[in-house]
Amino acid sequence: MAITVVGSVAYDSIETPAGRKDRCLGGAATYFSLAASFFTDVRVIAVVGEDFGPEQEAVFEARHIDTRGIEHTAGKSFFWEGSYLENLNEAKTHITDLNVFASFEPKIPEAYRDSEYLFLANIDPVLQRRVREQMPDVKLVAGDTMNYWIKDHRPALLEVLKGLDILLINDTEARMLAGNNNLVQAARGVLSLGPQTLIVKHGEYGATAFFSEHSFPQAKSPHHAFRAPALPLEEVVDPTGAGDSFAGGFFGYLASQRELTPAVFRRAMFYGGVMGSYACERFGTERLQQLTRKEIDDRFTVFRELTHLD
Amino acid sequence: MAITVVGSVAYDSIETPAGRKDRCLGGAATYFSLAASFFTDVRVIAVVGEDFGPEQEAVFEARHIDTRGIEHTAGKSFFWEGSYLENLNEAKTHITDLNVFASFEPKIPEAYRDSEYLFLANIDPVLQRRVREQMPDVKLVAGDTMNYWIKDHRPALLEVLKGLDILLINDTEARMLAGNNNLVQAARGVLSLGPQTLIVKHGEYGATAFFSEHSFPQAKSPHHAFRAPALPLEEVVDPTGAGDSFAGGFFGYLASQRELTPAVFRRAMFYGGVMGSYACERFGTERLQQLTRKEIDDRFTVFRELTHLD
């Protein structure tokens, strides 16, 4: 089933211990849709400036991603510059230029309206909510957010959470959102704000899914938590977009399945980890662009060997 | 098969967000032997002062731990005071009084000499080496260390590493020991110093075993890594001794098995996680003292459900 994703399509200048790369194609919606495109049809809603040309368009086309919802407007695309010199787990932001994103009014193409899955990538919760309201009939909605919105735009964010089935955030964000330092208690707090399922991303340590009693109404026994590993990587070239790629693999796999059982969610967590690990292997979206489905399934097997007793 | 463990038997005063407890029975050898005693026979080598009486002795006796190697001497037992108020993952040390430990000369009772397993808990590497040399015929030797010995006593520590089969340390220590920030590269560096197997403990995120090509000479295919989770805990009352309890569960299970196959190591990692998680549930060794084998196996099942796809 098709996923519509709304979020940033951007340029990133990135410095890591492995080197520096200027103006890579980036943005949460870009990483998400590339990762999800290996599992299902993906449709993007975003805004770009005059600096987004046929070369960038071709990256989406190569993965058969529908870009009719990418609005082209006068000005420059969203630009981010950051580095990971001291800590590969946390970016230090040098520049954030919203540019054309500052006046973004998401419009949903008619052709996207039958999407059954909706992903609200990390953008202003006011925009997330506007998109959510225009797609009231979707089957499953997931979303991401960040510390900035949690701290300074809480009321708008709380409105978004009410309309989410699944929230994907990192450890610090989960603790901040719930105002609780214990992860299990924080998860329960977040689950009381709307989502039935919370995925907490731990960077190099993987991710944990916390399920509420509403996650699987049909299941015989409750499913409380599931922990997926991250792959211990020989070299993390660039962690930018790893979280969005995790979300793309996770949500893309869910959208490709007929039934949303606990077993399907577990496999989705593994596919999320697989896509996140590949994203780190090269700068920007380079590795995701060259990936094959066989490589994805091979690494899924490695994840199983890394965690399973037998 | 019996394990001999050398390390500290001590008193700890601990403050955590859950409260404060003064002069609990503690020390690495105490946590290790309590945890390992659920799997196999354990024999302790340590030194205590006049403040160690029948009440403390009884804690070991209740778990059938051999204490003939605990030397009683004039003076006070090792004392540590620390807190975890800001960060449950890292203790802040307020006081370390070596007391009788300062002049400790480990002696191995005749009755311990047929032990086939040896664990060198975190003490001065000079003492670790002295014990190792007195037990040249053991089947498997594992050990722990800490940042202080890595930084300021490196030559002595490197000598110990040459005689170890398995080293258990945390993330920061592994990176410091190898002088490399990437965990996979750091693990390879540590494995080149002696141990065939490195267990890196990640606190609340579990632990990773890195195997060298010498870990399982009989195995058909190489086993590179295995990641065991930690249990997401509702309340961490006191993380003191969690790493030593992990080591006790891990090494105790190994010592209880006839063959050391990759599958046995994987299960040992889970038992390590189980014992570490129980240790955190009460202050000091309280929870380990009251634990039953059934509770251990029940939590092993929870660990499996937390990580396995099917």
Side-chain angles (χ1 to χ4, degrees), chain A residues 171 175 182 184-185 188 202 204-205 225-227 230 232-234 266 300 304-309, chain B residues 171 175 182 184-185 188 202 204-205 225-227 230 232-234 266 300 304-309:
Chain A
D171 278 88
R175 292 179 159 111
N182 177 284
V184 180
Q185 293 178 30
R188 193 178 310 124
H202 312 307
E204 65 173 314
Y205 300 117
F226 183 71
R227 185 161 275 185
L233 284 174
E234 187 83 25
R266 286 162 179 252
F300 187 95
R304 182 192 281 268
E305 283 168 3
L306 187 66
T307 52
H308 281 49
L309 292 171
Chain B
D171 277 88
R175 291 179 160 110
N182 177 283
V184 179
Q185 293 178 29
R188 193 178 308 124
H202 313 308
E204 66 173 313
Y205 300 117
F226 183 70
R227 185 160 275 186
L233 284 174
E234 187 83 25
R266 286 160 179 254
F300 187 95
R304 183 194 280 270
E305 283 168 2
L306 188 65
T307 52
H308 281 49
L309 292 171

Side-chain angles (χ1 to χ4, degrees), chain B residues 264-275:
Chain B
V264 164
F265 265 76
R266 286 160 179 254
R267 294 177 70 88
M269 290 287 289
F270 269 46
Y271 279 114
V274 165
M275 301 311 288

Side-chain angles (χ1 to χ4, degrees), chain A residues 116-283:
Chain A
E116 294 197 273
Y117 283 71
L118 175 62
F119 189 76
L120 309 171
N122 168 32
I123 47 169
D124 187 335
V126 170
L127 299 183
Q128 291 181 314
R129 192 176 170 199
R130 216 169 282 164
V131 171
R132 175 71 183 93
E133 283 171 351
Q134 289 178 70
M135 298 187 77
D137 300 324
V138 288
K139 182 177 162 188
L140 204 74
V141 192
D144 189 1
T145 190
M146 70 184 288
N147 47 9
Y148 173 70
W149 309 116
I150 295 172
K151 255 174 57 187
D152 298 338
H153 295 254
R154 197 174 177 88
L157 179 61
L158 291 180
E159 284 305 311
V160 172
L161 294 182
K162 287 183 196 162
L164 283 191
D165 297 299
I166 305 169
L167 176 67
L168 295 101
I169 48 182
N170 70 28
D171 278 88
T172 316
E173 290 156 359
R175 292 179 159 111
M176 190 188 281
L177 180 54
N180 192 318
N181 256 331
N182 177 284
L183 192 59
V184 180
Q185 293 178 30
R188 193 178 310 124
V190 172
L191 291 174
S192 75
L193 299 174
Q196 292 98 58
T197 303
L198 169 69
I199 315 287
V200 182
K201 296 171 284 181
H202 312 307
E204 65 173 314
Y205 300 117
T208 306
F210 291 95
F211 303 112
S212 74
E213 70 263 45
H214 310 297
S215 294
F216 307 106
Q218 261 82 52
K220 273 176 223 141
S221 60
H223 291 263
H224 299 299
F226 183 71
R227 185 161 275 185
L231 193 69
L233 284 174
E234 187 83 25
E235 189 185 24
V236 175
V237 173
D238 172 17
T240 310
D244 302 312
S245 305
F246 180 100
F250 171 80
F251 208 53
Y253 179 74
L254 286 188
S256 75
Q257 298 297 299
R258 226 176 315 177
E259 271 192 289
L260 297 178
T261 63
V264 164
F265 265 75
R266 286 162 179 252
R267 294 179 69 87
M269 290 287 288
F270 268 46
Y271 278 115
V274 166
M275 301 310 288
S277 72
Y278 273 125
C280 296
E281 289 188 351
R282 308 259 176 87
F283 272 100

